[in-house]
C-alpha cells in the first residue's frame, strides 16, 4: 500500500486554499498536511510536518512564493513544488522549467489530480536534493522582481540592480545601465522581498553583493563596480552582518 502524499497549500487567498483543500480531500492517497496564508506560516508548518508536495502561490503580499524556495534550499528541505498562478503571460515563461508542475487559477480538479498522480508515480525516481538546488539556481537567473510606481507595475531583473536608495516613503532602484527607477514603497518593505544576494548596509542603502568590489573598513565604504564606481557608506552597526554575509557568499 502506497504511503499517503502529504501536501502543503500556501496561498494568501482563503477561497483558493479552501478550494484546493476540498479537492485534495476527495482524492485517495493524498492528504492536506498543512495550509498557510504566507511564507512565514509555511515555514512553521515545514518545521514540524513532513511535506511531499507544496502547492505554492507566487504573488503574495510581503514575501512571495520564490522566497519560500530560497528557504527550502538553505534548510535542505526537499518537497516537490507545484506553482499555482493566475498569470498566463510572463510568469509562465519564467516558471515552466522551474517546478515539478504549475497550475493556472482557477484550478480545475482534473488538472490537480493529474499533477499529483504523476508525482506519486515518479517520486521514487527523483533526486529531490538536486531538484531543489536546480530549482533555486533557475530562480536566481530567471525570475524578475515586481515593483510599482505611480504609473503601474514594472519588473526588474535582480542581476541588473546595483543598489537601492531610500528617499522618504519611496525607494530608487539603481541599475547597471545607469538608469534609476522610483518605487512606491519604503526601503524596509523592499528589503523584505529581495533575494539573498542583497544586503542592507545602512538606513538609506541596500546593495547587490554581485557588484561589490571592495569594503573599506577605515572609511566605512562599500565600493560597487562600474564605469564610475559607486561609494556608499555602511553603518558601523551593520559591519558584522556585512562581513558575515561576505564570508558566506
Amino acid at each position: 500500500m502506497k504511503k499517503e502524499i502529504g501536501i502543503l497549500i500556501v496561498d494568501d487567498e482563503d477561497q483558493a486554499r479552501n478550494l484546493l483543500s476540498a479537492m485534495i480531500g476527495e482524492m485517495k492517497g493524498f492528504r492536506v498536511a498543512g495550509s498557510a496564508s504566507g511564507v512565514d506560516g509555511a515555514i512553521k508548518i515545514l518545521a514540524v510536518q513532513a511535506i511531499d508536495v507544496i502547492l505554492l502561490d507566487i504573488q503574495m503580499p510581503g514575501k512571495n512564493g520564490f522566497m519560500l524556495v530560497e528557504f527550502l534550499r538553505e534548510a535542505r528541505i526537499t518537497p516537490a513544488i507545484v506553482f499555482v498562478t493566475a498569470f498566463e503571460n510572463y510568469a509562465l515563461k519564467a516558471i515552466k522549467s522551474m517546478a515539478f508542475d504549475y497550475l493556472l487559477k482557477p484550478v480545475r480538479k482534473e488538472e490537480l489530480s493529474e499533477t499529483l498522480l504523476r508525482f506519486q508515480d515518479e517520486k521514487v525516481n527523483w533526486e529531490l536534493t538536486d531538484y531543489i538546488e536546480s530549482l533555486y539556481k533557475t530562480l536566481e537567473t530567471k525570475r524578475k522582481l515586481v515593483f510599482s510606481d505611480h504609473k503601474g507595475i514594472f519588473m526588474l531583473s535582480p542581476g541588473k540592480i546595483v543598489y537601492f536608495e531610500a528617499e522618504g516613503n519611496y525607494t530608487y532602484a539603481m541599475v547597471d545601465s545607469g538608469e534609476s527607477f522610483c518605487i512606491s514603497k519604503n526601503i524596509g518593505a523592499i528589503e523584505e522581498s529581495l533575494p539573498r544576494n542583497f544586503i542592507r548596509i545602512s538606513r538609506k542603502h541596500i546593495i547587490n553583493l554581485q557588484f561589490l568590489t571592495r569594503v573599506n573598513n577605515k572609511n566605512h565604504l562599500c565600493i560597487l563596480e562600474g564605469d564610475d564606481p559607486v561609494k556608499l557608506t555602511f553603518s558601523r552597526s551593520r559591519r558584522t552582518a556585512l562581513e558575515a554575509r561576505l564570508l558566506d557568499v
Side-chain angles (χ1 to χ4, degrees):
M1 184 176 177
K2 289 184 177 180
K3 168 183 165 293
E4 275 194 325
I5 302 297
I7 300 169
L8 171 60
I9 302 169
V10 185
D11 196 306
D12 62 300
E13 298 177 0
D14 292 343
Q15 185 176 359
R17 293 197 308 276
N18 293 338
L19 178 61
L20 289 170
S21 182
M23 290 178 182
I24 294 166
E26 297 175 0
M27 299 177 190
K28 291 183 179 180
F30 304 93
R31 65 183 178 88
V32 177
S35 180
S37 60
V39 172
D40 292 336
I43 289 172
K44 291 179 181 178
I45 293 170
L46 287 161
V48 297
Q49 284 274 4
I51 301 296
D52 298 299
V53 180
I54 301 179
L55 299 180
L56 180 58
D57 189 16
I58 297 175
Q59 290 294 111
M60 294 182 287
K63 299 176 181 178
N64 62 37
F66 298 137
M67 298 185 76
L68 182 59
V69 176
E70 293 175 12
F71 163 80
L72 293 172
R73 176 186 179 256
E74 292 187 5
R76 299 186 180 278
I77 300 172
T78 56
I81 304 294
V82 176
F83 283 125
V84 181
T85 176
F87 298 100
E88 293 191 59
N89 42 41
Y90 75 88
L92 290 191
K93 292 178 183 178
I95 68 177
K96 277 183 178 179
S97 63
M98 292 183 189
F100 178 80
D101 207 345
Y102 65 90
L103 297 168
L104 283 175
K105 292 182 178 180
V107 176
R108 295 172 58 241
K109 183 181 177 183
E110 295 80 6
E111 293 173 340
L112 176 62
S113 177
E114 181 182 335
T115 292
L116 294 179
L117 287 171
R118 184 163 65 85
F119 170 80
Q120 192 177 49
D121 289 340
E122 297 181 13
K123 185 175 187 295
V124 292
N125 298 320
W126 274 40
E127 289 291 339
L128 287 174
T129 302
D130 292 342
Y131 157 75
I132 285 290
E133 186 69 24
S134 175
L135 174 55
Y136 179 79
K137 287 180 178 177
T138 306
L139 286 174
E140 280 189 319
T141 57
K142 288 194 174 184
R143 82 176 176 96
K144 292 187 176 182
L145 299 173
V146 181
F147 301 113
S148 62
D149 58 15
H150 67 285
K151 295 180 182 178
I153 294 174
F154 64 95
M155 291 167 286
L156 294 174
S157 296
K160 294 185 177 296
I161 301 171
V162 181
Y163 66 97
F164 292 92
E165 182 168 291
E167 190 66 48
N169 290 325
Y170 295 89
T171 305
Y172 286 87
M174 311 297 184
V175 301
D176 57 2
S177 65
E179 294 179 274
S180 65
F181 296 84
C182 182
I183 303 167
S184 302
K185 278 186 177 181
N186 63 48
I187 198 166
I190 295 293
E191 183 181 12
E192 292 179 358
S193 64
L194 295 175
R196 198 173 184 278
N197 54 300
F198 288 87
I199 185 169
R200 185 86 172 261
I201 63 167
S202 68
R203 292 181 64 184
K204 193 175 180 66
H205 292 113
I206 296 172
I207 66 170
N208 186 344
L209 292 174
Q210 292 177 359
F211 290 92
L212 182 64
T213 59
R214 186 175 180 83
V215 176
N216 186 322
N217 287 327
K218 182 178 180 180
N219 297 320
H220 295 92
L221 291 176
C222 287
I223 301 172
L224 307 176
E225 67 184 33
D227 295 335
D228 186 15
V230 177
K231 298 179 181 180
L232 301 175
T233 303
F234 64 86
S235 305
R236 287 181 172 84
S237 61
R238 296 183 183 270
R239 175 177 170 177
T240 301
L242 176 60
E243 289 178 345
R245 181 67 64 82
L246 290 174
L247 291 172
D248 192 37
V249 169

